[in-house]
Each structure stands twice: as structure tokens, then as C-alpha cells.
Amino acid sequence: GTAGSASVVQADVGTETPLHFQDSNIDKSYEWNEWKMRRDALHMADIKRKATSTTQTALSHLRRETETQVYLPKDIATSTTVNKGTNPPRLKKYHRFLRGEPQPMAVAEICFDLKPGRR
């Protein structure tokens, strides 16, 4: 080449616009629902109104009550090997002679004695 000529350097350059921009100022606690914001505000006001109370003193700090309630086993057993029930005898009344040949109606009383263990 010639001493006085400058060589030209060429390069391919491209730019691209992103399809979805990444916003860096997204507020995670943003709420669009006015009713939810009202509910949350009322809840916070209710919590601020309430006060907690403690019964611990300097002597009881980091201590625990050691009282427990215990049901001791009974000395006398209540279950027996004898099966007893409280089934009283059942009385049933039946009307007789309502069908068939004409006869005077009569009432039959039957006592069912239901003892446990018997069938």
C-alpha cells in the first residue's frame, strides 16, 4: 500500500429492544384492592388497641410451674366377670280376633323377659 492512506475498519453492530422490560421499581407490598386495604387497616388499629400483660416477676423469670394434675389409679376394680344388664321385662299388647270369623275382640298381654346372654 501507500504510506499516506489510512485503512478503514468496519464492524457489524446490532441492538435489540427487549420484548418485556424488567422493572426494578416493583413494590411487592402494593395492594390494589381498597377493601383489603381497609380490612388490613382496621386489623392493625385493633391490634394497636390491645395490650398484652404478663404475670412474671423478677423471681419467676425463666422458671416454670411444676404443678401437674394426675389421676391416680383406683384401688378397687369396678369391672366384674358377671354379665348383668338392666333390661326390664317388656310388655306387649296384641289385639286378637280382628280378622277371620266374627268373634269378640280380646287383648293378649305378653311379657318378654330379655336376659343378657340368652337368645
Side-chain angles (χ1 to χ4, degrees):
T2 58
S5 68
S7 65
V8 178
V9 179
Q10 293 182 348
D12 288 335
V13 177
T15 59
E16 189 174 316
T17 305
L19 182 62
H20 300 287
F21 290 94
Q22 294 293 327
D23 291 334
S24 61
N25 59 348
I26 295 176
D27 186 9
K28 299 289 183 189
S29 63
Y30 175 76
E31 182 60 50
W32 63 270
N33 191 345
E34 280 187 48
W35 291 105
K36 184 172 183 326
M37 290 191 316
R38 175 181 164 78
R39 189 170 48 244
D40 291 345
L42 288 173
H43 181 66
M44 286 298 188
D46 187 43
I47 287 176
K48 282 181 115 178
R49 232 178 8 96
K50 296 181 178 177
T52 58
S53 63
T54 181
T55 57
Q56 280 196 334
T57 62
L59 295 176
S60 67
H61 182 63
L62 294 177
R63 288 190 177 185
R64 186 178 78 184
E65 295 293 327
T66 56
E67 297 175 6
T68 57
Q69 185 175 5
V70 177
Y71 293 101
L72 297 174
K74 294 181 180 179
D75 293 335
I76 302 169
T78 56
S79 61
T80 61
T81 58
V82 178
N83 243 348
K84 289 190 175 180
T86 58
N87 287 331
R90 295 186 186 176
L91 296 174
K92 293 286 183 177
K93 292 184 180 182
Y94 293 100
H95 298 282
R96 299 176 58 205
F97 309 122
L98 293 177
R99 295 183 184 170
E101 296 178 18
Q103 293 182 13
M105 185 185 74
V107 177
E109 293 185 6
I110 302 174
C111 177
F112 294 100
D113 192 14
L114 303 174
K115 302 261 184 199
R118 286 194 221 162
R119 293 202 177 237

